[in-house]
Amino acid sequence: MLVKFLLCTAVVTLSMTGIAAAQQTLPAATQQTATIKRTPLQKFDVPGTNYETIIGMAEVGPNVNIGRHTHPGPESGFLLEGEMVLMVDGQADKTLKSGESYQIPPGAVHDAKTGPIGAKVIATYVVEKGKPIASPAQ
């Protein structure tokens, strides 16, 4: 419960060196592409646990599928601009508009597709230290 609370409310400043290092080690599902610009914002330990929180911003071009993938921990996000459809296996597709938020359970296979003007989202991940932030879905 503490991890979920911290996921939604924690804000801690991290040096740019740590952020750059985190960006360089992200798997293919979270790397920069021609249609997705990712900006790591913060990375910090969840006190008293073996988990860390990673917050980032993604700017996704119009009509782009980001690709099916998973995360070892929960993901939550807030759509700053645009529109996207969140597709989580076993759940109904959810259309998100600017100002709306979402949550994805740990390990859930999911994808998202942006609308005609693209999307800008802030995402927060809680992952066990040493685990990748994302992995392509099988």
Side-chain angles (χ1 to χ4, degrees):
M1 194 55 104
L2 175 63
V3 171
K4 287 184 181 179
F5 175 75
L6 290 173
L7 171 69
C8 296
T9 62
V11 176
V12 176
T13 303
L14 177 72
S15 72
M16 290 307 291
T17 304
I19 292 170
Q23 185 177 25
Q24 292 172 356
T25 61
L26 298 178
T30 61
Q31 303 254 334
Q32 302 286 39
T33 68
T35 55
I36 304 173
K37 177 184 175 190
R38 292 182 175 86
T39 306
L41 301 173
Q42 297 182 20
K43 180 179 176 183
F44 54 92
D45 292 344
V46 176
T49 72
N50 190 36
Y51 290 86
E52 60 189 358
T53 300
I54 301 165
I55 302 172
M57 181 171 52
E59 298 171 76
V60 187
N63 303 310
V64 170
N65 270 73
I66 62 170
R68 290 171 47 85
H69 62 284
T70 63
H71 304 284
E75 173 187 355
S76 66
F78 181 81
L79 196 61
L80 296 167
E81 299 173 7
E83 184 176 303
M84 70 179 188
V85 177
L86 181 62
M87 300 162 281
V88 180
D89 283 6
Q91 297 181 16
D93 291 355
K94 180 178 182 180
T95 299
L96 298 166
K97 297 180 186 221
S98 181
E100 295 183 327
S101 62
Y102 65 91
Q103 302 82 35
I104 301 170
V109 176
H110 60 285
D111 194 355
K113 180 176 174 66
T114 59
I117 63 168
K120 187 177 197 179
V121 64
I122 297 283
T124 302
Y125 310 90
V126 176
V127 291
E128 191 173 345
K129 291 179 187 176
K131 298 248 178 157
I133 190 173
S135 300
Q138 301 297 333

